[in-house]
Amino acid sequence: MKILIVCLGNICRSPLTEGILKSKLSENFFVDSVGTISMHEGETPDKRAVQTAANHGIDISKQKSRPIRISDLDYFDKIYCMDLKNYEDVISMTQSEEQRQKVRLFLEEAGNHQNIEVPDPYWGEMSDFENVFQLLDNACNKISHQLQQQAISNKI
Ligand code: 4NP
């Protein structure tokens, strides 16, 4: 199963989510992340995101930012968005109901109905990155469980 994580710049929230989710899933899952803007294309994640992940034993230092492509909408099985603007931007790129069905708000999918957007820590401090890490880590526990269940039932 192929999983895509989407945020704005692909240097803070989605690289963290990619790293955390990979750490919880087997290699049968392919996890990648992208941004809705190309401003940071080719850059490694924000130093604060790299440090926060490293504090939890996860290496995201070799990831490279890239913008989302139309072909991603067919290639990936699940497309998880960090906030509502990302969700709307991705939905506006879709050309079929099949593509639209793949696009979800990450926290909503994880069962967080009050807090459905991952706050952007880019303008914040290290403590904001740590808070976002905790939010994502909890959500990744739920999402990785769901994905493993779906992968099993799809094979039957
Ligand atoms: P991200 O954070 O979407 O979580 O990667 C941001 C990265 C860059 C900018 C904003 C948010 N920016 O304005 O450059």
Side-chain angles (χ1 to χ4, degrees):
M1 203 183 292
K2 299 190 276 295
I3 321 294
L4 187 67
I5 316 292
V6 186
C7 68
L8 179 68
N10 191 211
I11 56 168
C12 298
R13 292 166 294 174
S14 60
L16 278 171
T17 311
E18 177 186 331
I20 298 167
L21 202 53
K22 274 182 178 160
S23 77
K24 297 180 193 291
L25 289 171
S26 76
E27 287 177 3
N28 295 335
F29 292 87
F30 175 69
V31 186
D32 196 7
S33 65
V34 293
T36 55
I37 60 170
S38 57
M39 187 177 167
H40 298 280
E41 187 163 6
E43 292 176 21
T44 52
D46 186 287
K47 283 195 181 72
R48 297 164 297 175
V50 172
Q51 183 61 54
T52 302
N55 291 346
H56 295 275
I58 295 173
D59 180 12
I60 63 167
S61 66
K62 292 174 192 71
Q63 292 184 28
K64 291 273 167 65
S65 172
R66 74 165 175 93
I68 188 167
R69 304 187 271 262
I70 291 283
S71 59
D72 290 327
L73 303 172
D74 287 325
Y75 184 74
F76 287 91
D77 301 301
K78 304 269 183 191
I79 302 173
Y80 293 120
C81 301
M82 294 282 101
D83 67 31
L84 280 165
K85 178 72 168 72
N86 309 147
Y87 177 83
E88 281 158 18
D89 287 344
V90 176
I91 287 288
S92 74
M93 293 173 66
T94 58
Q95 291 167 320
S96 68
E97 189 53 31
E98 190 185 350
Q99 291 177 344
R100 276 187 285 283
Q101 282 299 322
K102 299 177 180 183
V103 187
R104 305 288 167 89
L105 258 182
F106 191 67
L107 292 185
E108 199 168 53
E109 199 70 356
N112 282 27
H113 293 298
Q114 284 158 347
N115 217 357
I116 56 169
E117 298 192 278
V118 180
D120 194 340
Y122 184 69
W123 306 105
E125 299 169 7
M126 276 305 279
S127 59
D128 298 298
F129 278 80
E130 177 59 26
N131 289 340
V132 164
F133 184 96
Q134 294 300 335
L135 183 67
L136 291 172
D137 191 50
N138 283 326
C140 283
N141 283 335
K142 301 197 179 110
I143 297 277
S144 62
H145 187 71
Q146 279 173 21
L147 290 171
Q148 279 155 349
Q149 292 297 322
Q150 287 174 25
I152 292 166
S153 49
N154 288 347
K155 270 181 207 151
I156 291 170

